[in-house]
PDB file of all heavy atoms in Angstrom:
ATOM      1  N   ASN A  78     172.868 175.484  84.074  1.00 90.00           N
ATOM      2  CA  ASN A  78     172.592 175.485  82.598  1.00 90.00           C
ATOM      3  C   ASN A  78     172.844 174.157  82.052  1.00 90.00           C
ATOM      4  O   ASN A  78     173.519 174.019  80.946  1.00 90.00           O
ATOM      5  CB  ASN A  78     173.390 176.539  81.871  1.00 90.00           C
ATOM      6  CG  ASN A  78     172.768 177.926  82.037  1.00 90.00           C
ATOM      7  OD1 ASN A  78     171.547 178.114  82.290  1.00 90.00           O
ATOM      8  ND2 ASN A  78     173.629 178.994  81.863  1.00 90.00           N
ATOM      9  N   THR A  79     172.409 173.126  82.723  1.00 94.00           N
ATOM     10  CA  THR A  79     172.792 171.719  82.248  1.00 94.00           C
ATOM     11  C   THR A  79     171.468 170.876  82.164  1.00 94.00           C
ATOM     12  O   THR A  79     170.645 170.994  83.055  1.00 94.00           O
ATOM     13  CB  THR A  79     173.752 171.081  83.270  1.00 94.00           C
ATOM     14  OG1 THR A  79     174.959 171.827  83.324  1.00 94.00           O
ATOM     15  CG2 THR A  79     174.106 169.682  82.857  1.00 94.00           C
ATOM     16  N   VAL A  80     171.418 170.140  81.156  1.00 95.00           N
ATOM     17  CA  VAL A  80     170.307 169.149  80.982  1.00 95.00           C
ATOM     18  C   VAL A  80     170.888 167.787  81.063  1.00 95.00           C
ATOM     19  O   VAL A  80     171.942 167.509  80.594  1.00 95.00           O
ATOM     20  CB  VAL A  80     169.506 169.434  79.692  1.00 95.00           C
ATOM     21  CG1 VAL A  80     170.361 169.194  78.499  1.00 95.00           C
ATOM     22  CG2 VAL A  80     168.260 168.660  79.705  1.00 95.00           C
ATOM     23  N   PHE A  81     170.139 166.794  81.589  1.00 97.00           N
ATOM     24  CA  PHE A  81     170.542 165.496  81.790  1.00 97.00           C
ATOM     25  C   PHE A  81     169.613 164.587  81.123  1.00 97.00           C
ATOM     26  O   PHE A  81     168.416 164.817  80.921  1.00 97.00           O
ATOM     27  CB  PHE A  81     170.667 165.054  83.228  1.00 97.00           C
ATOM     28  CG  PHE A  81     171.468 166.024  84.113  1.00 97.00           C
ATOM     29  CD1 PHE A  81     170.894 167.074  84.801  1.00 97.00           C
ATOM     30  CD2 PHE A  81     172.803 165.858  84.223  1.00 97.00           C
ATOM     31  CE1 PHE A  81     171.638 167.920  85.543  1.00 97.00           C
ATOM     32  CE2 PHE A  81     173.628 166.695  84.912  1.00 97.00           C
ATOM     33  CZ  PHE A  81     173.010 167.732  85.636  1.00 97.00           C
ATOM     34  N   LEU A  82     170.189 163.330  80.670  1.00 98.00           N
ATOM     35  CA  LEU A  82     169.301 162.312  80.203  1.00 98.00           C
ATOM     36  C   LEU A  82     169.755 161.021  80.928  1.00 98.00           C
ATOM     37  O   LEU A  82     170.787 160.493  80.650  1.00 98.00           O
ATOM     38  CB  LEU A  82     169.517 162.109  78.696  1.00 98.00           C
ATOM     39  CG  LEU A  82     168.524 161.091  77.999  1.00 98.00           C
ATOM     40  CD1 LEU A  82     167.085 161.582  78.046  1.00 98.00           C
ATOM     41  CD2 LEU A  82     168.963 160.738  76.615  1.00 98.00           C
ATOM     42  N   GLN A  83     168.957 160.601  81.812  1.00 98.00           N
ATOM     43  CA  GLN A  83     169.090 159.426  82.582  1.00 98.00           C
ATOM     44  C   GLN A  83     168.490 158.241  81.790  1.00 98.00           C
ATOM     45  O   GLN A  83     167.329 158.273  81.545  1.00 98.00           O
ATOM     46  CB  GLN A  83     168.579 159.466  83.974  1.00 98.00           C
ATOM     47  CG  GLN A  83     168.755 158.202  84.772  1.00 98.00           C
ATOM     48  CD  GLN A  83     170.190 157.941  85.127  1.00 98.00           C
ATOM     49  OE1 GLN A  83     170.799 158.807  85.774  1.00 98.00           O
ATOM     50  NE2 GLN A  83     170.690 156.763  84.737  1.00 98.00           N
ATOM     51  N   MET A  84     169.271 157.240  81.433  1.00 98.00           N
ATOM     52  CA  MET A  84     168.830 156.157  80.648  1.00 98.00           C
ATOM     53  C   MET A  84     168.901 154.836  81.410  1.00 98.00           C
ATOM     54  O   MET A  84     169.985 154.479  81.862  1.00 98.00           O
ATOM     55  CB  MET A  84     169.594 156.066  79.357  1.00 98.00           C
ATOM     56  CG  MET A  84     169.607 157.372  78.587  1.00 98.00           C
ATOM     57  SD  MET A  84     170.529 157.220  76.943  1.00 98.00           S
ATOM     58  CE  MET A  84     172.216 157.062  77.596  1.00 98.00           C
ATOM     59  N   TYR A  85     167.785 154.180  81.589  1.00 98.00           N
ATOM     60  CA  TYR A  85     167.755 152.908  82.251  1.00 98.00           C
ATOM     61  C   TYR A  85     167.212 151.863  81.223  1.00 98.00           C
ATOM     62  O   TYR A  85     166.619 152.155  80.238  1.00 98.00           O
ATOM     63  CB  TYR A  85     166.797 152.926  83.411  1.00 98.00           C
ATOM     64  CG  TYR A  85     167.134 153.835  84.545  1.00 98.00           C
ATOM     65  CD1 TYR A  85     166.526 155.059  84.780  1.00 98.00           C
ATOM     66  CD2 TYR A  85     168.136 153.453  85.472  1.00 98.00           C
ATOM     67  CE1 TYR A  85     166.819 155.850  85.889  1.00 98.00           C
ATOM     68  CE2 TYR A  85     168.575 154.205  86.519  1.00 98.00           C
ATOM     69  CZ  TYR A  85     167.916 155.464  86.724  1.00 98.00           C
ATOM     70  OH  TYR A  85     168.272 156.246  87.802  1.00 98.00           O
ATOM     71  N   GLY A  86     167.522 150.553  81.569  1.00 98.00           N
ATOM     72  CA  GLY A  86     166.963 149.546  80.797  1.00 98.00           C
ATOM     73  C   GLY A  86     167.385 149.631  79.339  1.00 98.00           C
ATOM     74  O   GLY A  86     166.649 149.431  78.412  1.00 98.00           O
ATOM     75  N   LEU A  87     168.688 149.955  79.132  1.00 98.00           N
ATOM     76  CA  LEU A  87     169.142 150.176  77.728  1.00 98.00           C
ATOM     77  C   LEU A  87     169.134 148.898  76.885  1.00 98.00           C
ATOM     78  O   LEU A  87     169.355 147.771  77.405  1.00 98.00           O
ATOM     79  CB  LEU A  87     170.578 150.745  77.790  1.00 98.00           C
ATOM     80  CG  LEU A  87     170.735 152.196  78.166  1.00 98.00           C
ATOM     81  CD1 LEU A  87     172.097 152.598  78.611  1.00 98.00           C
ATOM     82  CD2 LEU A  87     170.273 153.089  77.006  1.00 98.00           C
ATOM     83  N   LYS A  88     168.737 149.147  75.660  1.00 98.00           N
ATOM     84  CA  LYS A  88     168.625 148.011  74.698  1.00 98.00           C
ATOM     85  C   LYS A  88     169.605 148.223  73.589  1.00 98.00           C
ATOM     86  O   LYS A  88     170.082 149.347  73.301  1.00 98.00           O
ATOM     87  CB  LYS A  88     167.206 148.019  74.162  1.00 98.00           C
ATOM     88  CG  LYS A  88     166.085 147.937  75.161  1.00 98.00           C
ATOM     89  CD  LYS A  88     164.723 148.082  74.553  1.00 98.00           C
ATOM     90  CE  LYS A  88     163.617 148.103  75.524  1.00 98.00           C
ATOM     91  NZ  LYS A  88     162.287 148.171  74.891  1.00 98.00           N
ATOM     92  N   PRO A  89     170.005 147.139  72.849  1.00 97.00           N
ATOM     93  CA  PRO A  89     170.919 147.347  71.740  1.00 97.00           C
ATOM     94  C   PRO A  89     170.420 148.347  70.722  1.00 97.00           C
ATOM     95  O   PRO A  89     171.258 149.074  70.098  1.00 97.00           O
ATOM     96  CB  PRO A  89     170.999 145.947  71.104  1.00 97.00           C
ATOM     97  CG  PRO A  89     170.740 145.051  72.278  1.00 97.00           C
ATOM     98  CD  PRO A  89     169.742 145.756  73.141  1.00 97.00           C
ATOM     99  N   GLU A  90     169.063 148.469  70.572  1.00 97.00           N
ATOM    100  CA  GLU A  90     168.592 149.487  69.598  1.00 97.00           C
ATOM    101  C   GLU A  90     168.690 150.880  70.065  1.00 97.00           C
ATOM    102  O   GLU A  90     168.395 151.854  69.317  1.00 97.00           O
ATOM    103  CB  GLU A  90     167.098 149.148  69.316  1.00 97.00           C
ATOM    104  CG  GLU A  90     166.237 148.979  70.431  1.00 97.00           C
ATOM    105  CD  GLU A  90     166.032 147.479  70.848  1.00 97.00           C
ATOM    106  OE1 GLU A  90     167.018 146.743  70.859  1.00 97.00           O
ATOM    107  OE2 GLU A  90     164.920 147.059  71.144  1.00 97.00           O
ATOM    108  N   ASP A  91     169.107 151.095  71.237  1.00 98.00           N
ATOM    109  CA  ASP A  91     169.453 152.463  71.771  1.00 98.00           C
ATOM    110  C   ASP A  91     170.825 152.916  71.315  1.00 98.00           C
ATOM    111  O   ASP A  91     171.165 154.075  71.494  1.00 98.00           O
ATOM    112  CB  ASP A  91     169.353 152.516  73.277  1.00 98.00           C
ATOM    113  CG  ASP A  91     167.921 152.275  73.765  1.00 98.00           C
ATOM    114  OD1 ASP A  91     167.002 152.796  73.189  1.00 98.00           O
ATOM    115  OD2 ASP A  91     167.766 151.534  74.808  1.00 98.00           O
ATOM    116  N   THR A  92     171.559 151.999  70.691  1.00 98.00           N
ATOM    117  CA  THR A  92     172.948 152.350  70.312  1.00 98.00           C
ATOM    118  C   THR A  92     172.826 153.427  69.218  1.00 98.00           C
ATOM    119  O   THR A  92     172.150 153.309  68.240  1.00 98.00           O
ATOM    120  CB  THR A  92     173.593 151.132  69.665  1.00 98.00           C
ATOM    121  OG1 THR A  92     173.838 150.128  70.779  1.00 98.00           O
ATOM    122  CG2 THR A  92     174.972 151.457  69.077  1.00 98.00           C
TER     123      THR A  92
END
Side-chain angles (χ1 to χ4, degrees):
N78 282 339
T79 301
V80 65
F81 305 97
L82 185 68
Q83 179 67 57
M84 305 184 291
Y85 294 106
L87 284 161
K88 305 175 181 180
E90 51 264 44
D91 294 318
T92 295

